[in-house]
Amino acid sequence: IAYPWLASAVTRNPLLIAVIGIAQRLPWLVFTLPVGVLTDRKDRRILMAGANTLRAVLTVFVAIAVVGLGGDLPGPDELETHIRRGMRVLDVGCGRAVLLNALAERGFESHGTEISRAAAAGVDARAQIRVAPRLCEAGYPAEYFDAVVLSHVLEHLPDPRETLGEAHRILRPGGRVIVAVPNFGSLQARWAGPDWFHLDLPRHLYHFPLPALRMLLRSCRFLDCRVSHFSLRQNPFGWVQSALNRRRAWPRNTLYH
């Protein structure tokens, strides 16, 4: 019961939540025979105690990660703690508008930008999408939005400063800009070096250690910054794929492709 509940804190997709329940039972199918052989050779009480301890530690870790540390971006519920329903939210580079669809369900006025109609295929009809190669070309009026979201967008842009400057212009006084980027100064990045999964050249044009990102935000007049380093969506996968990249036994970023 616990893991599907924890998964619901990360995603509202019922299929993904159901997959968590299935994944919980996969070890029973995969490891039944090897464990049977092991229990015939070892003290079963010690094995059971070790297995239960490991399961408890993993459960506590995941619970703290989801509930206490949060993800790389606030979800719809978290945004509601900062802005009221009915306010305008812009998701820059919204893709299929997963966030905007969830916000529309909660009564927000959802807006998004994408570089092509094809990239935004399947968007909820309640989300208002503008197609433009740059945010400054989308034609939004000044002080129009209550929140602007840039989720893994800045690293792809030829001019991140221009985009943040435009975000500041179209935000109302007291509005929020929410930015997620790979952390170039992280332990994972330093350990993996050129094999870091999130390096992702040549699609990523820029990378930001935290001091550089703070400096960039302040230069665009975003002065009050709150930082979160943990992402249940990104961190575990990044470690696994970076480790596989270092082994050079498979094509680079093989899990991603």
Side-chain angles (χ1 to χ4, degrees), residues 2-13 16-18 20 62 66 232:
Y3 278 101
W5 176 77
L6 290 172
S8 70
V10 179
T11 178
R12 294 294 186 268
N13 188 316
L16 293 178
I17 294 172
I20 293 295
V62 173
V66 174
L232 194 62

Side-chain angles (χ1 to χ4, degrees), residues 96-137:
R96 293 172 296 164
V98 174
L99 175 62
L100 293 182
N101 295 347
L103 289 172
E105 289 287 341
R106 288 163 170 77
F108 288 92
E109 186 178 322
S110 301
H111 297 255
T113 66
E114 257 303 343
I115 59 173
S116 71
R117 282 290 173 192
V123 172
D124 191 308
R126 291 169 294 183
Q128 303 176 45
I129 307 300
R130 296 191 183 185
V131 176
R134 298 153 63 204
L135 180 58
C136 62
E137 296 179 25

Side-chain angles (χ1 to χ4, degrees), residues 127-232:
Q128 303 176 45
I129 307 300
R130 296 191 183 185
V131 176
R134 298 153 63 204
L135 180 58
C136 62
E137 296 179 25
Y140 292 115
E143 300 183 0
Y144 189 64
F145 292 104
D146 300 286
V148 175
V149 179
L150 293 147
S151 175
H152 293 276
V153 168
L154 285 186
E155 64 267 29
H156 295 272
L157 301 177
D159 194 343
R161 188 189 303 275
E162 176 192 77
T163 299
L164 285 171
E166 177 65 7
H168 189 279
R169 186 188 72 83
I170 61 180
L171 270 175
R172 290 174 177 168
R176 295 174 179 269
V177 63
I178 301 159
V179 176
V181 294
N183 183 359
F184 193 64
S186 68
L187 176 62
Q188 186 185 115
R190 296 196 302 271
W191 173 77
D195 297 312
W196 186 38
F197 165 64
H198 297 290
L199 196 61
D200 201 12
L201 301 173
R203 297 193 319 127
H204 289 177
L205 305 179
Y206 289 90
H207 276 291
F208 306 91
L210 180 57
L213 182 59
R214 284 185 183 274
M215 187 182 302
L216 177 61
L217 288 166
R218 287 170 180 162
S219 73
C220 296
R221 294 180 290 171
F222 294 109
L223 304 180
D224 184 12
C225 299
R226 189 182 70 175
V227 178
S228 173
H229 292 281
F230 191 90
S231 167
L232 194 62

Side-chain angles (χ1 to χ4, degrees), residues 41-62:
R41 300 180 179 181
K42 302 291 183 180
D43 188 324
R44 297 182 183 182
R45 291 173 298 178
I46 295 176
L47 291 174
M48 287 295 295
N52 288 332
T53 301
L54 178 60
R55 182 164 56 183
V57 169
L58 289 174
T59 300
V60 169
F61 172 77
V62 173

